[in-house]
Amino acid sequence: MVKIIKEGRFGPGEAVVLLGISSMARIFLSYPRLLVDTGGPAVWMMPLGGLAVALAGIYFMSLVLKKSPGSTIIEITEQAFGPFIGMAVNILVTFQILVVTGAVFIREFSEAMLTTTLRYAPISLIDAAFLAMGLLGAYLGVEALARTARLTYLYVLGGLSILIFSLIPFWNFHNMLPFFGKGPKEVFLMGTYSTAGIAEIIIAGVIVQAMGGAKIFAGIGYRAMLMGFGILFLSLTTLVLTYSWPVSEEFTLPFLRLARTIYLGRFFQRPEAIFILIWGIVGAIKIALLLYAAAVSLARSLKLPEYRPLIWPLGLAMFILSLLPLDMPSVIEVDAVYIRSAMLLPDYLLPLLILAVLWFKGRGARAGS
């Protein structure tokens, strides 16, 4: 199969950091509060089931990609379902979900900035600023995004480490009782459902050739999932240890509240300003990666030789969709009800369907021979 798009190349280390930073973007938004509302004091256990499912998703995606080592999930979908149905599946499942997810993240990061610092700025202006960063990153390509993530990840992880260690004096282990929180069903079943829907599995399937191919896909995916879910686990544990779960349910942006808890003396009275920079870095990488993956998916589906002309209309579509929710509670509801559920389709259902179809095709070919 002819490669129609040149994506550049980067190493496994850059790939792990890129996918890991992208997956940790949700901890800076209202997502931790939704998990606390579901699991209560046992919220720290909720990512464990999601991690197990995500690792299984990486395994099944690697099996799919090994069926055609020189292709991405886009081409393999068309090989399995045929050119017309495969193209429809790619456009409806992969492309549309990535575009809507990008629009939701643009709005959520904009609302976070509006709440923290730019309180009197119009939401459209902040949306446009995040979109501009996403457009620039997507235009430069996934290789540039991977190098940027590799250069900034020490700053991001260092800032998170400072946050966690600075809050140790505020920890109260009695906040973790009762041990199973609101019940095993909410903690494990709903926790798995709420944390397993991430965009990075399908994104990795789209950019697999730039990462080095199907042979090293599983290793990269496993480490990226461990990185992203590990940081989510530490963040939720720190939140429930610092504040009791009834108090944590009241925080719109729990990460911001944790940062404002830190007191380092009169000279360092507003340490959360440092972490707002981390939000900007992670948000820009997340939005740019979603926009890039959506553009490449559509270009590969339509057999176009270049993805960059698609960035501008897709960026405009993300911008318009991001302005549709009326307020912050509305966009949080869209994220919790639609995005987390919709992400399960390309992450887990699509690879399983492809494997089943390819197996039946192979069985039919063997029987015919």
Side-chain angles (χ1 to χ4, degrees):
M1 181 172 290
V2 179
K3 297 180 180 180
I4 59 176
I5 296 177
K6 295 182 179 180
E7 298 181 89
R9 294 280 182 173
F10 49 91
E14 287 86 353
V16 171
V17 172
L18 177 63
L19 296 174
I21 288 182
S22 177
S23 66
M24 75 172 67
R26 52 185 175 172
I27 71 172
F28 300 104
L29 305 173
S30 296
Y31 180 69
R33 186 192 68 80
L34 299 176
L35 296 182
V36 172
D37 185 58
T38 302
V43 65
W44 58 276
M45 287 191 286
M46 294 178 69
L48 300 179
L51 173 61
V53 173
L55 293 177
I58 291 292
Y59 173 73
F60 288 120
M61 183 66 75
S62 68
L63 293 181
V64 171
L65 296 174
K66 288 178 181 178
K67 296 294 183 180
S68 181
S71 304
T72 69
I73 186 64
I74 304 299
E75 290 84 11
I76 297 176
T77 300
E78 295 185 5
Q79 294 173 17
F81 299 110
F84 298 106
I85 298 178
M87 180 185 297
V89 170
N90 286 328
I91 293 176
L92 292 176
V93 177
T94 305
F95 160 68
Q96 287 193 359
I97 290 178
L98 290 174
V99 170
V100 175
T101 303
V104 170
F105 268 97
I106 289 175
R107 181 61 181 269
E108 286 192 287
F109 273 104
S110 299
E111 291 284 359
M113 286 296 176
L114 196 67
T115 303
T116 56
T117 54
L118 307 174
R119 298 185 178 181
Y120 300 103
I123 188 65
S124 58
L125 181 62
I126 307 176
D127 272 15
F130 272 106
L131 178 61
M133 291 186 287
L135 288 171
L136 177 61
Y139 185 84
L140 294 176
V142 69
E143 183 177 357
L145 290 175
R147 309 293 185 199
T148 303
R150 186 61 183 266
L151 289 174
T152 57
Y153 87 101
L154 290 178
Y155 175 73
V156 174
L157 297 183
L160 292 174
S161 300
I162 292 174
L163 171 69
I164 293 173
F165 285 111
S166 299
L167 290 170
I168 289 179
F170 299 94
W171 287 4
N172 183 359
F173 286 91
H174 292 288
N175 292 340
M176 304 181 73
L177 299 176
F179 186 74
F180 288 108
K182 296 185 177 182
K185 175 183 176 182
E186 285 73 15
V187 173
F188 297 108
L189 182 61
M190 296 304 299
T192 301
Y193 175 79
S194 301
T195 57
I198 55 176
E200 283 65 37
I201 296 178
I202 188 63
I203 289 176
V206 173
I207 64 173
V208 58
Q209 298 306 318
M211 297 191 306
K215 289 184 178 180
I216 61 176
F217 175 85
I220 292 173
Y222 293 151
R223 286 182 287 169
M225 294 302 104
L226 290 173
M227 178 180 176
F229 278 88
I231 293 173
L232 176 62
F233 170 80
L234 291 175
S235 301
L236 294 174
T237 304
T238 302
L239 176 63
V240 76
L241 286 175
T242 306
Y243 293 99
S244 60
W245 66 270
V247 177
S248 300
E249 287 181 336
E250 303 298 325
F251 299 149
T252 303
L253 298 171
F255 186 86
L256 174 66
R257 189 65 188 89
L258 289 176
R260 286 180 172 174
T261 305
I262 302 173
Y263 181 76
L264 301 177
R266 291 180 178 270
F267 187 75
F268 298 101
Q269 293 189 27
R270 300 295 299 273
E272 70 269 16
I274 300 175
F275 301 105
I276 292 175
L277 296 177
I278 299 178
W279 291 5
I281 294 173
V282 175
I285 292 176
K286 177 75 173 186
I287 295 168
L289 186 59
L290 285 168
L291 180 57
Y292 174 85
V296 170
S297 298
L298 185 58
R300 288 185 177 276
S301 299
L302 300 178
K303 306 298 185 295
L304 300 178
E306 182 60 58
Y307 75 92
R308 287 185 174 88
L310 298 175
I311 291 176
W312 314 111
L314 293 182
L316 180 60
M318 283 186 177
F319 179 73
I320 294 174
L321 291 174
S322 69
L323 295 176
L324 292 182
L326 297 177
D327 48 25
M328 191 172 187
S330 300
V331 72
I332 292 174
E333 183 180 1
V334 171
D335 188 6
V337 175
Y338 174 74
I339 297 298
R340 301 300 163 189
S341 302
M343 270 300 159
L344 300 176
L345 298 178
D347 283 348
Y348 309 107
L349 182 59
L350 180 60
L352 291 176
L353 287 176
I354 292 175
L355 289 174
V357 170
L358 293 178
W359 182 80
F360 277 112
K361 284 186 175 181
R363 184 180 181 184
R366 290 191 298 271
S369 61

